[in-house]
Amino acid sequence: MIEETESWRRIGTPVRGGIVLVSDHASNRVADGIELGITQAQLDDHIGWDIGVGAVADRMARRHRIAAHLGNVSRLVIDLHREEDHPRLIPQESDGVLIPGNIGADREGRLKRFYRPYHDAMEEWLEDAAPSLIVSLHSFTPAMASDPGKERPWQVGLLYNEQGEAAAHAMRLFREYGLTVGDNEPYSGKQLNATMNRHGEAHGRPYLAIEVRNDLISNEREQARWADMIADVAKRTVELLKL
């Protein structure tokens, strides 16, 4: 089953008490009536979305019955993974690229059109699903264009704020796959954890905030492999949380 609105897209039906997936930056779509003033190539790059995560989420929903609630608008239109009052909610620049269409943008209009419908629908969906675990899926670029000399060595990272138990289990399980795993890398969940702070920690829902390096999920074969790995780690984490 696929449902779609202007602000969100869903794949699959949650198994009540099971695992679900959310992904704020799964799309680089620019909605009608909004002009960002950048090229399609820039929109297709990591500044426009989290490369690869939509395809991974689709495979997890179809192959592993892990239903997904996905953002359906580019992070450059509005960043669904920020608080409403965050200064970069509607970015005027990203990794050295000026976003001229966001200068003087209608902040309240975009909140009403995209941000609030996305989060309100997610909360209702999670209430109905009562999940044992939320997988919050993101990807990151191997190096920022604005800081090209600083390579990011991690293949996958786990982010967390106050809830660290599930992340600790998942880090160990990913290392069992032979991966280089970041502990609150490449970003710290202490500073950047808006969606899981709101929908996970505020409700006592266990979660895994997973960041995969985007060059590792850039083709169908690797997307399928990572979908299987993430599903396996998530399922094993649920069992470990019960102990």
Side-chain angles (χ1 to χ4, degrees):
M1 183 185 73
I2 297 177
E3 297 178 78
E4 187 168 7
T5 72
E6 192 172 52
S7 63
W8 54 263
R9 183 167 64 95
R10 288 181 185 159
I11 308 170
T13 301
V15 176
R16 185 169 175 82
I19 301 168
V20 297
L21 183 148
V22 303
S23 187
D24 303 316
H25 301 147
S27 174
N28 65 347
R29 189 180 68 87
V30 177
D32 291 344
I34 294 176
E35 295 291 338
L36 296 178
I38 63 173
T39 68
Q40 186 62 48
Q42 289 169 326
L43 194 61
D44 289 340
D45 201 0
H46 75 98
I47 66 171
W49 61 338
D50 280 358
I51 294 167
V53 298
V56 173
D58 183 82
R59 284 160 175 77
M60 290 177 67
R62 297 178 190 278
R63 297 183 182 183
H64 299 282
R65 298 188 68 198
I66 297 176
H69 178 94
L70 309 175
N72 203 27
V73 66
S74 172
R75 67 198 303 171
L76 298 180
V77 173
I78 192 163
D79 195 332
L80 301 169
H81 188 41
R82 296 288 188 275
E83 295 80 8
E84 284 198 15
D85 60 353
H86 196 283
R88 292 188 57 81
L89 182 77
I90 301 175
Q92 297 182 13
E93 174 277 333
S94 183
D95 198 15
V97 176
L98 179 68
I99 318 297
N102 284 346
I103 298 172
D106 179 5
R107 187 183 187 95
E108 184 61 24
R110 293 194 195 180
L111 282 165
K112 288 181 179 178
R113 185 176 174 185
F114 306 111
Y115 184 96
R116 291 172 187 148
Y118 172 76
H119 284 287
D120 290 348
M122 184 191 297
E123 184 54 40
E124 183 179 355
W125 185 73
L126 291 171
E127 282 287 336
D128 290 342
S132 56
L133 185 73
I134 304 169
V135 174
S136 177
L137 186 60
H138 293 264
S139 70
F140 65 96
T141 186
M144 301 289 283
S146 54
D147 191 9
K150 191 173 182 181
E151 296 288 330
R152 292 163 160 176
W154 311 282
Q155 294 167 296
V156 62
L158 275 294
L159 276 57
Y160 54 91
N161 186 9
E162 299 300 326
Q163 266 193 35
E165 183 183 1
H169 289 310
M171 281 185 274
R172 180 177 57 79
L173 294 170
F174 276 120
R175 289 187 183 111
E176 289 180 2
Y177 277 101
L179 299 171
T180 301
V181 182
D183 183 346
N184 258 341
E185 300 285 359
Y187 319 105
S188 172
K190 303 291 184 181
Q191 284 79 44
L192 183 59
N193 202 49
T195 297
M196 286 301 95
N197 283 343
R198 175 173 178 171
H199 297 288
E201 297 200 354
H203 298 272
R205 296 174 180 136
Y207 67 89
L208 294 177
I210 298 174
E211 291 266 0
V212 181
R213 207 174 69 212
N214 66 26
D215 61 323
L216 303 178
I217 50 173
S218 61
N219 61 63
E220 290 187 7
R221 179 180 178 182
E222 289 303 302
Q223 289 158 0
R225 187 172 78 91
W226 276 89
D228 290 345
M229 280 197 297
I230 293 169
D232 176 58
V233 167
K235 291 171 184 176
R236 291 165 69 190
T237 296
V238 169
E239 294 305 312
L240 290 166
L241 289 173
K242 294 176 182 178
L243 298 178

